[in-house]
Amino acid sequence: MEESQSIHYSVLLNESIEALNIKPDGIYIDGTFGRGGHSRVILQKLGPQGRLIGIDQDPQAVEYAKTHFDDPRFEIQHGSFEKVQEYCEARGLLGKVDGLLLDLGVSSPQLDEAERGFSFMRSGPLDMRMNPEEGVSAKEWLKQVDEKTLAKVLKQYGEERFAGRIARVIKEASEKDQLHTTLDLAEVVKKVAPKTEKNKHPATRTFQAIRIAVNRELDVLKNVLQAAVEILAPEGRLAVISFHSLEDRIVKQFIRDQSTIRDLFPDSPIQLEVIEPVLKKIGKPIFPTEEECRLNSRSRSAVLRIAERLK
């Protein structure tokens, strides 16, 4: 993807930058660097003393950052944002970060490059790993998982109504060594999944579910949200862009839980211990404008939620 396209297709770009409430001398983390669309604008708003750390587990994104971002205020960290607390601790930044931005899901370059195996629209190896250097590919995962677990994954992570029948044919094809490419998987699913949604391929939910499972996306999200509380400075902002209901539900519930007073022993007649809120919710969820959705169809399902670290 060309540089100009990366800027153009950064989802909720202006809204997420505004959500960070950037201070010129602040310390910020772009937890999902991608091709640097959000990072580029953050740097424009930082002064000489400002600092930005980009994180990405995709080696191609890291290489892009190294060749396109020659700025002393910027550094790129190769790895999962799940380890953001570890990265901050190594730099002496626990409790000092003024803003953490998370743009969840798959980046456009990952979807557009068939070799990465994310898209059912292009034939590529059945991989789906955000970091191809770690973990097992989707092909290997499908060989290892049993039919019952696969059906559960498709139902929970893909919200797929026909999870049982899809799991059955996928396992049959996998055991016969018939699943090598993304199109192989898409065709197998297409045979048993009726097209019930307009402009949506029958394999859309299946691909989403398998990708989430292969990359442990929901567990990783829960872990990074917990870490955000530890790394943010007082009045530091957390801005999260989600792309499907499972992610958004986790973010919404986390912000709600962390912004309310909680009784650790609600059933006790004596108040034993109360947890004070550590975050406050900022505004209502933000959705893309019709204009943005028209320019970039991948923005359609995006939602931005914002929270601020209390003192």
Side-chain angles (χ1 to χ4, degrees):
M1 182 177 288
E2 293 177 1
E3 194 169 314
S4 60
Q5 283 182 303
S6 294
I7 299 170
H8 184 69
Y9 289 126
S10 292
V11 175
L12 289 165
L13 179 59
N14 295 328
E15 293 89 342
S16 57
I17 300 300
E18 187 177 329
L20 291 174
N21 197 26
I22 294 173
K23 298 183 287 189
D25 60 348
I27 300 169
Y28 294 88
I29 296 177
D30 183 350
T32 39
F33 176 81
R35 289 303 181 268
H38 291 103
S39 283
R40 195 174 277 105
V41 182
I42 292 171
L43 285 169
Q44 289 170 3
K45 292 187 173 291
L46 288 178
Q49 302 305 313
R51 185 174 178 185
L52 174 63
I53 300 166
I55 301 173
D56 210 294
Q57 58 186 335
D58 185 340
Q60 291 183 12
V62 172
E63 190 56 35
Y64 183 91
K66 289 177 178 177
T67 55
H68 289 76
F69 279 69
D70 183 17
D71 191 315
R73 302 169 299 167
F74 175 80
E75 64 174 305
I76 186 71
Q77 169 71 56
H78 182 208
S80 170
F81 59 51
E82 182 179 26
K83 298 179 180 177
V84 67
Q85 187 170 341
E86 179 185 314
Y87 303 147
C88 287
E89 194 167 5
R91 293 166 173 82
L93 296 177
L94 286 183
K96 297 179 181 178
V97 175
D98 296 295
L100 171 63
L101 172 64
L102 302 172
D103 180 1
L104 308 176
V106 185
S107 69
S108 292
Q110 288 170 333
L111 285 169
D112 293 337
E113 292 173 18
E115 298 77 27
R116 301 305 301 276
F118 284 102
S119 176
F120 45 77
M121 303 303 288
R122 300 169 178 82
S123 183
L126 196 53
D127 197 312
M128 298 195 196
R129 285 174 293 176
M130 303 284 192
N131 183 355
E133 299 171 3
E134 287 187 0
V136 297
S137 68
K139 178 182 175 181
E140 290 303 313
W141 184 80
L142 288 171
K143 281 184 178 178
Q144 296 169 11
V145 72
D146 61 78
E147 183 181 321
K148 186 177 179 181
T149 303
L150 178 56
K152 188 176 178 182
V153 165
L154 297 180
K155 188 170 184 178
Q156 288 187 344
Y157 294 170
E159 299 175 296
E160 174 56 70
R161 288 164 53 198
F162 307 102
R165 67 169 79 165
I166 293 172
R168 186 173 64 253
V169 295
I170 287 177
K171 283 305 296 180
E172 286 172 0
S174 179
E175 285 162 8
K176 293 176 183 175
D177 198 29
Q178 296 173 340
L179 297 180
H180 300 282
T181 70
T182 50
L183 290 188
D184 289 342
L185 177 59
E187 284 303 309
V188 165
V189 175
K190 192 177 177 181
K191 287 176 184 176
V192 295
K195 187 171 182 179
T196 57
E197 296 172 87
K198 192 178 178 183
N199 300 323
K200 204 171 209 177
H201 191 285
T204 301
R205 294 178 181 275
T206 295
F207 269 67
Q208 172 184 297
I210 294 172
R211 189 202 79 218
I212 288 172
V214 165
N215 293 286
R216 301 178 38 253
E217 289 178 37
L218 300 186
D219 288 336
V220 168
L221 174 57
K222 290 173 186 175
N223 290 339
V224 72
L225 292 174
Q226 290 292 343
V229 171
E230 302 301 323
I231 70 167
L232 287 175
E235 298 183 1
R237 290 285 182 91
L238 169 67
V240 187
I241 302 172
S242 306
F243 287 88
H244 56 75
S245 59
L246 296 172
E247 291 174 338
D248 184 50
R249 201 174 300 138
I250 290 170
V251 177
K252 179 183 178 181
Q253 185 172 332
F254 175 79
I255 292 175
R256 185 189 65 208
D257 289 349
Q258 296 295 327
S259 59
T260 54
I261 296 174
R262 287 174 291 155
D263 186 349
L264 278 183
F265 302 95
D267 297 327
S268 172
I270 305 169
Q271 192 174 66
L272 297 174
E273 190 174 352
V274 169
I275 296 181
E276 293 295 327
V278 292
L279 297 176
K280 72 173 179 179
K281 185 175 76 167
I282 302 295
K284 294 181 178 179
I286 298 170
F287 302 92
T289 62
E290 287 185 16
E291 176 68 5
E292 177 171 353
C293 293
R294 188 180 64 79
L295 291 171
N296 178 18
S297 61
R298 290 174 184 165
S299 296
R300 282 189 307 238
S301 58
V303 53
L304 168 65
R305 294 185 186 271
I306 312 157
E308 183 176 288
R309 181 73 160 95
L310 295 170
K311 294 182 179 179

